[in-house]
Short mmCIF file of all heavy atoms in Angstrom, two decimals:
data_model
loop_
_atom_site.label_atom_id
_atom_site.label_comp_id
_atom_site.label_asym_id
_atom_site.label_seq_id
_atom_site.Cartn_x
_atom_site.Cartn_y
_atom_site.Cartn_z
N MET A 1 75.24 23.20 -4.32
CA MET A 1 74.71 23.66 -5.61
C MET A 1 74.85 22.56 -6.67
O MET A 1 75.95 22.11 -6.91
CB MET A 1 75.51 24.90 -6.04
CG MET A 1 74.91 25.55 -7.26
SD MET A 1 75.95 26.77 -8.05
CE MET A 1 76.88 27.47 -6.71
N ALA A 2 73.76 22.13 -7.18
CA ALA A 2 73.81 21.06 -8.15
C ALA A 2 73.98 21.65 -9.54
O ALA A 2 73.22 22.48 -9.97
CB ALA A 2 72.54 20.26 -8.08
N LYS A 3 75.02 21.20 -10.14
CA LYS A 3 75.25 21.65 -11.53
C LYS A 3 75.32 20.42 -12.40
O LYS A 3 75.84 19.42 -11.95
CB LYS A 3 76.57 22.42 -11.57
CG LYS A 3 76.78 23.13 -12.89
CD LYS A 3 78.05 23.95 -12.90
CE LYS A 3 78.27 24.46 -14.32
NZ LYS A 3 79.56 25.07 -14.49
N ASN A 4 74.74 20.47 -13.59
CA ASN A 4 74.72 19.23 -14.36
C ASN A 4 75.62 19.27 -15.61
O ASN A 4 75.43 18.55 -16.54
CB ASN A 4 73.32 18.83 -14.68
CG ASN A 4 72.61 19.80 -15.59
OD1 ASN A 4 73.21 20.81 -15.98
ND2 ASN A 4 71.39 19.54 -15.94
N TRP A 5 76.62 20.14 -15.59
CA TRP A 5 77.59 20.12 -16.67
C TRP A 5 78.98 20.17 -16.11
O TRP A 5 79.42 21.22 -15.57
CB TRP A 5 77.39 21.29 -17.61
CG TRP A 5 78.24 21.17 -18.86
CD1 TRP A 5 79.48 21.71 -19.04
CD2 TRP A 5 77.99 20.39 -20.03
NE1 TRP A 5 79.97 21.34 -20.26
CE2 TRP A 5 79.09 20.54 -20.90
CE3 TRP A 5 76.90 19.59 -20.44
CZ2 TRP A 5 79.16 19.92 -22.13
CZ3 TRP A 5 76.97 18.99 -21.67
CH2 TRP A 5 78.09 19.16 -22.52
N TYR A 6 79.65 19.08 -16.11
CA TYR A 6 81.05 19.03 -15.70
C TYR A 6 81.63 17.74 -16.28
O TYR A 6 80.89 16.82 -16.66
CB TYR A 6 81.18 19.05 -14.18
CG TYR A 6 80.33 18.09 -13.44
CD1 TYR A 6 80.76 16.76 -13.26
CD2 TYR A 6 79.08 18.43 -12.97
CE1 TYR A 6 79.95 15.85 -12.59
CE2 TYR A 6 78.24 17.53 -12.33
CZ TYR A 6 78.70 16.24 -12.14
OH TYR A 6 77.90 15.34 -11.50
N PRO A 7 82.94 17.65 -16.41
CA PRO A 7 83.53 16.46 -17.01
C PRO A 7 83.47 15.26 -16.12
O PRO A 7 83.57 15.36 -14.89
CB PRO A 7 84.99 16.89 -17.28
CG PRO A 7 85.23 18.06 -16.42
CD PRO A 7 83.93 18.69 -16.09
N VAL A 8 83.29 14.12 -16.74
CA VAL A 8 83.35 12.84 -16.05
C VAL A 8 84.44 12.02 -16.73
O VAL A 8 84.39 11.81 -17.93
CB VAL A 8 81.98 12.13 -16.14
CG1 VAL A 8 82.07 10.76 -15.44
CG2 VAL A 8 80.87 12.97 -15.53
N ILE A 9 85.43 11.60 -15.97
CA ILE A 9 86.56 10.88 -16.52
C ILE A 9 86.26 9.39 -16.54
O ILE A 9 85.86 8.81 -15.51
CB ILE A 9 87.81 11.10 -15.68
CG1 ILE A 9 88.08 12.59 -15.45
CG2 ILE A 9 89.05 10.42 -16.35
CD1 ILE A 9 88.38 13.37 -16.69
N ASP A 10 86.53 8.76 -17.67
CA ASP A 10 86.49 7.31 -17.74
C ASP A 10 87.90 6.82 -17.40
O ASP A 10 88.80 6.83 -18.25
CB ASP A 10 86.08 6.87 -19.14
CG ASP A 10 85.99 5.35 -19.29
OD1 ASP A 10 86.58 4.65 -18.46
OD2 ASP A 10 85.34 4.89 -20.23
N TYR A 11 88.07 6.43 -16.18
CA TYR A 11 89.43 6.03 -15.72
C TYR A 11 89.92 4.73 -16.35
O TYR A 11 91.08 4.43 -16.31
CB TYR A 11 89.46 5.96 -14.20
CG TYR A 11 89.40 7.34 -13.55
CD1 TYR A 11 88.24 7.81 -12.96
CD2 TYR A 11 90.52 8.19 -13.55
CE1 TYR A 11 88.17 9.04 -12.37
CE2 TYR A 11 90.45 9.42 -12.98
CZ TYR A 11 89.29 9.84 -12.38
OH TYR A 11 89.21 11.12 -11.82
N GLY A 12 89.01 4.03 -16.98
CA GLY A 12 89.42 2.84 -17.70
C GLY A 12 90.15 3.18 -18.99
O GLY A 12 90.95 2.40 -19.48
N LYS A 13 89.84 4.35 -19.55
CA LYS A 13 90.46 4.81 -20.77
C LYS A 13 91.61 5.80 -20.52
O LYS A 13 92.53 5.92 -21.31
CB LYS A 13 89.43 5.48 -21.66
CG LYS A 13 88.40 4.55 -22.24
CD LYS A 13 87.46 5.37 -23.16
CE LYS A 13 86.40 4.48 -23.78
NZ LYS A 13 85.43 5.31 -24.54
N CYS A 14 91.50 6.53 -19.44
CA CYS A 14 92.46 7.62 -19.17
C CYS A 14 93.84 7.08 -19.01
O CYS A 14 94.10 6.11 -18.28
CB CYS A 14 92.03 8.36 -17.88
SG CYS A 14 93.20 9.60 -17.36
N THR A 15 94.81 7.71 -19.68
CA THR A 15 96.22 7.28 -19.64
C THR A 15 97.02 8.09 -18.62
O THR A 15 98.18 7.83 -18.41
CB THR A 15 96.89 7.48 -20.99
OG1 THR A 15 96.88 8.87 -21.33
CG2 THR A 15 96.15 6.69 -22.07
N GLY A 16 96.38 9.08 -18.02
CA GLY A 16 97.10 9.93 -17.06
C GLY A 16 98.04 10.92 -17.67
O GLY A 16 99.01 11.34 -17.04
N CYS A 17 97.78 11.31 -18.92
CA CYS A 17 98.67 12.26 -19.58
C CYS A 17 98.59 13.66 -18.99
O CYS A 17 99.47 14.49 -19.15
CB CYS A 17 98.37 12.30 -21.08
SG CYS A 17 96.80 13.06 -21.50
N LEU A 18 97.49 13.93 -18.31
CA LEU A 18 97.24 15.22 -17.65
C LEU A 18 97.07 16.40 -18.59
O LEU A 18 97.13 17.57 -18.18
CB LEU A 18 98.30 15.52 -16.56
CG LEU A 18 98.39 14.47 -15.47
CD1 LEU A 18 99.43 14.91 -14.43
CD2 LEU A 18 97.06 14.19 -14.80
N THR A 19 96.87 16.11 -19.87
CA THR A 19 96.61 17.19 -20.83
C THR A 19 95.39 18.01 -20.42
O THR A 19 95.43 19.25 -20.52
CB THR A 19 96.39 16.58 -22.24
OG1 THR A 19 97.56 15.86 -22.59
CG2 THR A 19 96.14 17.68 -23.27
N CYS A 20 94.36 17.35 -19.95
CA CYS A 20 93.15 18.06 -19.56
C CYS A 20 93.42 18.98 -18.37
O CYS A 20 92.93 20.11 -18.29
CB CYS A 20 92.05 17.07 -19.23
SG CYS A 20 92.51 15.82 -17.98
N VAL A 21 94.21 18.51 -17.42
CA VAL A 21 94.51 19.28 -16.21
C VAL A 21 95.23 20.58 -16.62
O VAL A 21 94.94 21.67 -16.13
CB VAL A 21 95.37 18.48 -15.23
CG1 VAL A 21 95.71 19.27 -14.00
CG2 VAL A 21 94.68 17.19 -14.85
N ASN A 22 96.17 20.46 -17.54
CA ASN A 22 96.94 21.62 -17.95
C ASN A 22 96.17 22.53 -18.92
O ASN A 22 96.44 23.69 -19.03
CB ASN A 22 98.23 21.15 -18.63
CG ASN A 22 99.15 20.43 -17.65
OD1 ASN A 22 99.32 20.87 -16.55
ND2 ASN A 22 99.70 19.34 -18.09
N PHE A 23 95.18 21.95 -19.58
CA PHE A 23 94.46 22.70 -20.59
C PHE A 23 93.31 23.58 -20.00
O PHE A 23 93.18 24.73 -20.43
CB PHE A 23 93.83 21.70 -21.59
CG PHE A 23 92.91 22.37 -22.59
CD1 PHE A 23 93.40 23.00 -23.71
CD2 PHE A 23 91.53 22.37 -22.37
CE1 PHE A 23 92.55 23.63 -24.60
CE2 PHE A 23 90.66 22.98 -23.27
CZ PHE A 23 91.20 23.61 -24.39
N CYS A 24 92.58 23.09 -19.11
CA CYS A 24 91.37 23.80 -18.64
C CYS A 24 91.77 25.12 -17.97
O CYS A 24 92.49 25.12 -16.99
CB CYS A 24 90.55 22.95 -17.68
SG CYS A 24 89.13 23.90 -17.05
N PRO A 25 91.28 26.24 -18.52
CA PRO A 25 91.63 27.55 -17.93
C PRO A 25 90.83 27.91 -16.70
O PRO A 25 91.01 28.98 -16.13
CB PRO A 25 91.38 28.51 -19.11
CG PRO A 25 90.33 27.85 -19.92
CD PRO A 25 90.50 26.34 -19.71
N HIS A 26 89.90 27.05 -16.33
CA HIS A 26 88.99 27.37 -15.21
C HIS A 26 89.26 26.61 -13.92
O HIS A 26 88.47 26.70 -12.98
CB HIS A 26 87.56 27.16 -15.68
CG HIS A 26 87.17 28.01 -16.86
ND1 HIS A 26 86.91 29.35 -16.75
CD2 HIS A 26 87.11 27.69 -18.18
CE1 HIS A 26 86.65 29.83 -17.96
NE2 HIS A 26 86.78 28.86 -18.84
N GLY A 27 90.34 25.87 -13.93
CA GLY A 27 90.73 25.18 -12.68
C GLY A 27 89.75 24.10 -12.24
O GLY A 27 89.60 23.84 -11.05
N VAL A 28 89.10 23.48 -13.20
CA VAL A 28 88.16 22.43 -12.86
C VAL A 28 88.87 21.18 -12.33
O VAL A 28 88.42 20.53 -11.42
CB VAL A 28 87.26 22.07 -14.08
CG1 VAL A 28 86.42 20.84 -13.82
CG2 VAL A 28 86.42 23.27 -14.47
N TYR A 29 90.05 20.95 -12.91
CA TYR A 29 90.81 19.74 -12.58
C TYR A 29 91.94 20.03 -11.59
O TYR A 29 92.58 21.09 -11.64
CB TYR A 29 91.46 19.18 -13.84
CG TYR A 29 90.52 18.63 -14.87
CD1 TYR A 29 90.28 19.37 -16.01
CD2 TYR A 29 89.96 17.39 -14.74
CE1 TYR A 29 89.46 18.88 -17.02
CE2 TYR A 29 89.12 16.87 -15.73
CZ TYR A 29 88.89 17.61 -16.85
OH TYR A 29 88.09 17.12 -17.84
N THR A 30 92.25 19.04 -10.83
CA THR A 30 93.53 18.96 -10.16
C THR A 30 94.10 17.58 -10.49
O THR A 30 93.36 16.68 -10.89
CB THR A 30 93.45 19.14 -8.64
OG1 THR A 30 92.52 18.15 -8.12
CG2 THR A 30 92.95 20.52 -8.27
N ALA A 31 95.39 17.44 -10.32
CA ALA A 31 96.03 16.13 -10.51
C ALA A 31 96.14 15.44 -9.18
O ALA A 31 96.52 16.05 -8.18
CB ALA A 31 97.39 16.28 -11.16
N GLU A 32 95.74 14.19 -9.15
CA GLU A 32 95.85 13.42 -7.92
C GLU A 32 96.35 12.03 -8.24
O GLU A 32 95.72 11.31 -9.01
CB GLU A 32 94.48 13.36 -7.22
CG GLU A 32 94.57 12.92 -5.78
CD GLU A 32 93.24 13.07 -5.06
OE1 GLU A 32 92.42 12.11 -5.10
OE2 GLU A 32 92.98 14.14 -4.48
N ASN A 33 97.48 11.65 -7.67
CA ASN A 33 98.06 10.35 -7.95
C ASN A 33 98.26 10.11 -9.43
O ASN A 33 98.01 9.01 -9.92
CB ASN A 33 97.22 9.23 -7.32
CG ASN A 33 97.08 9.37 -5.82
OD1 ASN A 33 98.04 9.73 -5.17
ND2 ASN A 33 95.90 9.11 -5.34
N GLY A 34 98.64 11.15 -10.14
CA GLY A 34 98.94 11.04 -11.57
C GLY A 34 97.70 10.92 -12.46
O GLY A 34 97.83 10.61 -13.64
N LYS A 35 96.55 11.18 -11.91
CA LYS A 35 95.34 11.15 -12.71
C LYS A 35 94.54 12.44 -12.50
O LYS A 35 94.66 13.06 -11.46
CB LYS A 35 94.44 9.97 -12.30
CG LYS A 35 95.04 8.59 -12.63
CD LYS A 35 94.79 8.21 -14.10
CE LYS A 35 95.47 6.90 -14.44
NZ LYS A 35 94.69 6.03 -15.25
N PRO A 36 93.78 12.81 -13.49
CA PRO A 36 92.98 14.02 -13.32
C PRO A 36 91.82 13.80 -12.37
O PRO A 36 91.23 12.70 -12.37
CB PRO A 36 92.46 14.31 -14.72
CG PRO A 36 92.41 12.97 -15.38
CD PRO A 36 93.56 12.17 -14.81
N LYS A 37 91.56 14.76 -11.55
CA LYS A 37 90.42 14.70 -10.66
C LYS A 37 89.56 15.94 -10.90
O LYS A 37 90.07 17.04 -11.00
CB LYS A 37 90.90 14.67 -9.22
CG LYS A 37 89.77 14.51 -8.24
CD LYS A 37 90.31 14.51 -6.80
CE LYS A 37 89.12 14.43 -5.82
NZ LYS A 37 89.55 14.73 -4.46
N VAL A 38 88.26 15.72 -10.99
CA VAL A 38 87.34 16.83 -11.20
C VAL A 38 87.05 17.45 -9.83
O VAL A 38 86.09 17.09 -9.17
CB VAL A 38 86.05 16.38 -11.91
CG1 VAL A 38 85.09 17.54 -12.16
CG2 VAL A 38 86.40 15.69 -13.24
N SER A 39 87.92 18.37 -9.44
CA SER A 39 87.85 18.90 -8.09
C SER A 39 86.86 20.06 -7.94
O SER A 39 86.32 20.27 -6.87
CB SER A 39 89.23 19.41 -7.65
OG SER A 39 90.12 18.33 -7.58
N ASN A 40 86.69 20.78 -9.04
CA ASN A 40 85.85 21.98 -8.97
C ASN A 40 84.82 21.95 -10.10
O ASN A 40 84.84 22.79 -11.03
CB ASN A 40 86.70 23.25 -9.13
CG ASN A 40 87.77 23.31 -8.05
OD1 ASN A 40 87.45 23.34 -6.87
ND2 ASN A 40 89.03 23.30 -8.46
N PRO A 41 83.88 21.00 -10.03
CA PRO A 41 82.90 20.89 -11.12
C PRO A 41 82.07 22.14 -11.35
O PRO A 41 81.67 22.43 -12.46
CB PRO A 41 82.02 19.71 -10.66
CG PRO A 41 82.28 19.53 -9.19
CD PRO A 41 83.67 19.98 -8.97
N ASP A 42 81.84 22.93 -10.27
CA ASP A 42 81.06 24.14 -10.40
C ASP A 42 81.74 25.20 -11.26
O ASP A 42 81.10 26.11 -11.74
CB ASP A 42 80.76 24.75 -9.03
CG ASP A 42 79.73 23.95 -8.27
OD1 ASP A 42 79.17 22.98 -8.85
OD2 ASP A 42 79.46 24.26 -7.11
N ALA A 43 83.08 25.07 -11.46
CA ALA A 43 83.78 26.05 -12.26
C ALA A 43 83.73 25.74 -13.77
O ALA A 43 84.11 26.55 -14.59
CB ALA A 43 85.25 26.10 -11.82
N CYS A 44 83.22 24.57 -14.11
CA CYS A 44 83.15 24.18 -15.51
C CYS A 44 82.12 25.06 -16.24
O CYS A 44 81.05 25.37 -15.71
CB CYS A 44 82.75 22.72 -15.61
SG CYS A 44 82.73 22.07 -17.31
N VAL A 45 82.49 25.46 -17.45
CA VAL A 45 81.65 26.29 -18.26
C VAL A 45 80.62 25.44 -19.00
O VAL A 45 80.98 24.51 -19.74
CB VAL A 45 82.49 27.06 -19.28
CG1 VAL A 45 81.61 27.93 -20.19
CG2 VAL A 45 83.48 27.97 -18.54
N GLU A 46 79.38 25.76 -18.83
CA GLU A 46 78.30 24.95 -19.39
C GLU A 46 78.47 24.83 -20.91
O GLU A 46 78.67 25.82 -21.62
CB GLU A 46 76.95 25.58 -19.08
CG GLU A 46 75.84 24.56 -19.19
CD GLU A 46 74.68 24.87 -18.21
OE1 GLU A 46 74.66 25.97 -17.63
OE2 GLU A 46 73.81 24.00 -18.06
N PHE A 47 78.38 23.59 -21.37
CA PHE A 47 78.49 23.22 -22.79
C PHE A 47 79.88 23.39 -23.38
O PHE A 47 80.07 23.23 -24.60
CB PHE A 47 77.44 23.95 -23.63
CG PHE A 47 76.03 23.76 -23.12
CD1 PHE A 47 75.20 24.81 -22.84
CD2 PHE A 47 75.56 22.46 -22.89
CE1 PHE A 47 73.95 24.63 -22.33
CE2 PHE A 47 74.29 22.26 -22.39
CZ PHE A 47 73.46 23.34 -22.12
N CYS A 48 80.87 23.77 -22.59
CA CYS A 48 82.25 23.73 -23.05
C CYS A 48 82.63 22.27 -23.25
O CYS A 48 82.28 21.42 -22.42
CB CYS A 48 83.16 24.40 -22.02
SG CYS A 48 84.94 24.26 -22.45
N LYS A 49 83.31 22.00 -24.35
CA LYS A 49 83.83 20.63 -24.56
C LYS A 49 85.30 20.64 -24.88
O LYS A 49 85.85 19.78 -25.54
CB LYS A 49 83.06 19.94 -25.71
CG LYS A 49 81.62 19.62 -25.36
CD LYS A 49 80.99 18.70 -26.37
CE LYS A 49 79.62 18.19 -25.88
NZ LYS A 49 79.06 17.22 -26.83
N GLY A 50 85.94 21.71 -24.39
CA GLY A 50 87.36 21.91 -24.69
C GLY A 50 88.23 20.73 -24.30
O GLY A 50 89.04 20.26 -25.10
N CYS A 51 88.08 20.26 -23.10
CA CYS A 51 88.97 19.20 -22.66
C CYS A 51 88.63 17.88 -23.34
O CYS A 51 89.54 17.07 -23.56
CB CYS A 51 88.93 19.08 -21.13
SG CYS A 51 87.29 18.92 -20.40
N GLN A 52 87.38 17.66 -23.66
CA GLN A 52 87.06 16.43 -24.40
C GLN A 52 87.74 16.41 -25.74
O GLN A 52 88.26 15.38 -26.18
CB GLN A 52 85.53 16.35 -24.59
CG GLN A 52 85.08 15.06 -25.28
CD GLN A 52 83.60 15.00 -25.52
OE1 GLN A 52 83.00 15.88 -26.17
NE2 GLN A 52 82.93 14.02 -24.93
N LYS A 53 87.80 17.57 -26.37
CA LYS A 53 88.43 17.63 -27.71
C LYS A 53 89.92 17.36 -27.68
O LYS A 53 90.46 16.81 -28.64
CB LYS A 53 88.17 19.01 -28.31
CG LYS A 53 86.75 19.18 -28.81
CD LYS A 53 86.57 20.56 -29.45
CE LYS A 53 85.09 20.81 -29.71
NZ LYS A 53 84.75 22.24 -29.64
N ILE A 54 90.58 17.74 -26.58
CA ILE A 54 92.03 17.57 -26.59
C ILE A 54 92.43 16.27 -25.88
O ILE A 54 93.63 15.94 -25.89
CB ILE A 54 92.76 18.80 -25.94
CG1 ILE A 54 92.20 19.17 -24.58
CG2 ILE A 54 92.61 20.00 -26.89
CD1 ILE A 54 92.81 18.47 -23.44
N CYS A 55 91.55 15.56 -25.29
CA CYS A 55 91.91 14.28 -24.64
C CYS A 55 92.28 13.24 -25.71
O CYS A 55 91.43 12.89 -26.53
CB CYS A 55 90.78 13.76 -23.80
SG CYS A 55 91.10 12.09 -23.15
N PRO A 56 93.51 12.76 -25.71
CA PRO A 56 93.93 11.84 -26.74
C PRO A 56 93.33 10.44 -26.57
O PRO A 56 93.38 9.60 -27.49
CB PRO A 56 95.45 11.77 -26.61
CG PRO A 56 95.74 12.24 -25.22
CD PRO A 56 94.59 13.13 -24.82
N ALA A 57 92.76 10.16 -25.44
CA ALA A 57 92.25 8.82 -25.12
C ALA A 57 90.72 8.73 -25.24
O ALA A 57 90.15 7.63 -25.09
CB ALA A 57 92.70 8.40 -23.73
N GLY A 58 90.07 9.85 -25.50
CA GLY A 58 88.62 9.81 -25.54
C GLY A 58 87.98 9.43 -24.21
O GLY A 58 86.96 8.73 -24.17
N ALA A 59 88.61 9.89 -23.16
CA ALA A 59 88.17 9.45 -21.83
C ALA A 59 87.25 10.45 -21.11
O ALA A 59 86.87 10.24 -19.96
CB ALA A 59 89.40 9.21 -20.95
N ILE A 60 86.91 11.55 -21.78
CA ILE A 60 86.13 12.59 -21.13
C ILE A 60 84.71 12.69 -21.72
O ILE A 60 84.55 12.80 -22.91
CB ILE A 60 86.82 13.96 -21.20
CG1 ILE A 60 88.22 13.89 -20.54
CG2 ILE A 60 85.97 15.06 -20.59
CD1 ILE A 60 89.02 15.18 -20.65
N ASN A 61 83.74 12.61 -20.84
CA ASN A 61 82.38 12.83 -21.20
C ASN A 61 81.83 13.86 -20.24
O ASN A 61 82.52 14.33 -19.35
CB ASN A 61 81.56 11.51 -21.13
CG ASN A 61 81.98 10.54 -22.22
OD1 ASN A 61 81.75 10.79 -23.40
ND2 ASN A 61 82.66 9.48 -21.85
N TYR A 62 80.56 14.19 -20.41
CA TYR A 62 79.99 15.24 -19.56
C TYR A 62 78.78 14.72 -18.82
O TYR A 62 78.05 13.84 -19.32
CB TYR A 62 79.66 16.49 -20.40
CG TYR A 62 80.96 17.06 -20.93
CD1 TYR A 62 81.42 16.73 -22.20
CD2 TYR A 62 81.76 17.86 -20.10
CE1 TYR A 62 82.69 17.14 -22.62
CE2 TYR A 62 83.01 18.29 -20.54
CZ TYR A 62 83.47 17.96 -21.82
OH TYR A 62 84.67 18.38 -22.22
N SER A 63 78.59 15.25 -17.64
CA SER A 63 77.62 14.71 -16.72
C SER A 63 76.22 14.66 -17.31
O SER A 63 75.49 13.70 -17.08
CB SER A 63 77.61 15.57 -15.45
OG SER A 63 77.42 16.94 -15.81
N ALA A 64 75.91 15.68 -18.14
CA ALA A 64 74.57 15.71 -18.74
C ALA A 64 74.39 14.65 -19.82
O ALA A 64 73.28 14.38 -20.24
CB ALA A 64 74.31 17.11 -19.31
N GLU A 65 75.52 14.05 -20.24
CA GLU A 65 75.44 13.11 -21.34
C GLU A 65 75.69 11.66 -20.91
O GLU A 65 75.67 10.76 -21.71
CB GLU A 65 76.47 13.50 -22.41
CG GLU A 65 76.20 14.86 -22.99
CD GLU A 65 77.21 15.30 -24.00
OE1 GLU A 65 78.39 14.89 -23.89
OE2 GLU A 65 76.86 16.07 -24.90
N VAL A 66 76.04 11.44 -19.65
CA VAL A 66 76.23 10.11 -19.18
C VAL A 66 75.10 9.73 -18.19
O VAL A 66 74.75 10.51 -17.33
CB VAL A 66 77.60 9.92 -18.50
CG1 VAL A 66 78.70 9.97 -19.54
CG2 VAL A 66 77.86 10.91 -17.44
N SER A 67 74.54 8.58 -18.37
CA SER A 67 73.45 8.16 -17.51
C SER A 67 73.99 7.58 -16.23
O SER A 67 73.42 7.80 -15.15
CB SER A 67 72.55 7.18 -18.22
OG SER A 67 73.32 6.13 -18.80
N ALA A 68 75.10 6.86 -16.31
CA ALA A 68 75.63 6.23 -15.14
C ALA A 68 76.53 7.20 -14.37
O ALA A 68 77.21 8.01 -14.95
CB ALA A 68 76.41 4.96 -15.50
N ASP A 69 76.52 7.07 -13.09
CA ASP A 69 77.32 7.95 -12.25
C ASP A 69 78.64 7.25 -11.92
O ASP A 69 78.64 6.17 -11.36
CB ASP A 69 76.56 8.25 -10.97
CG ASP A 69 76.78 9.66 -10.48
OD1 ASP A 69 77.81 10.26 -10.87
OD2 ASP A 69 75.95 10.13 -9.71
N GLY A 70 79.75 7.94 -12.27
CA GLY A 70 81.03 7.28 -12.05
C GLY A 70 81.41 7.36 -10.67
O GLY A 70 81.84 7.17 -9.78
S1 SF4 B 101 93.52 14.30 -21.30
FE1 SF4 B 101 92.32 12.37 -21.24
S2 SF4 B 101 93.86 10.72 -21.05
FE2 SF4 B 101 94.87 12.65 -20.53
S3 SF4 B 101 94.65 12.79 -18.28
FE3 SF4 B 101 92.90 13.89 -19.17
S4 SF4 B 101 91.28 12.36 -19.25
FE4 SF4 B 101 93.19 11.25 -18.97
S1 SF4 B 102 84.65 21.46 -20.32
FE1 SF4 B 102 85.84 23.38 -20.51
S2 SF4 B 102 85.57 24.45 -18.56
FE2 SF4 B 102 84.91 22.33 -18.27
S3 SF4 B 102 86.69 21.24 -17.50
FE3 SF4 B 102 86.73 21.00 -19.73
S4 SF4 B 102 87.97 22.71 -20.53
FE4 SF4 B 102 87.41 23.17 -18.39
#
């Protein structure tokens, strides 16, 4: 199932604080090797920007808004 709204992590900016992993109530993220992993993109709520707002590093964008595929 192709969904075009889910978070894309910029690992160059991400500090590994895991705030996003703990914040998302929909289980989109899991932690892997101390970094967030978008394990369940289909669970992301369309147009939600909750995790982007709370990321202290500005490392979260959304698939519909990034042209390059990480
Ligand atoms: S909140 Fe931002 S900096 Fe922290 S783990 Fe998530 S993406 Fe990385
Ligand atoms: S955008 Fe919302 S639903 Fe999607 S991962 Fe972030 S907090 Fe969870």
Side-chain angles (χ1 to χ4, degrees):
M1 188 193 328
K3 192 176 171 189
N4 65 2
W5 188 265
Y6 51 84
V8 178
I9 309 295
D10 182 341
Y11 288 104
K13 291 182 181 174
C14 175
T15 62
C17 70
L18 302 183
T19 300
C20 55
V21 179
N22 295 317
F23 173 81
C24 177
H26 300 283
V28 172
Y29 294 103
T30 55
E32 194 171 89
N33 300 321
K35 292 279 175 139
K37 183 181 177 193
V38 182
S39 296
N40 303 299
D42 287 354
C44 185
V45 176
E46 201 149 11
F47 305 125
C48 174
K49 290 192 170 184
C51 53
Q52 183 182 57
K53 286 181 190 150
I54 53 88
C55 172
I60 300 176
N61 291 292
Y62 296 94
S63 54
E65 298 177 330
V66 290
S67 49
D69 216 338

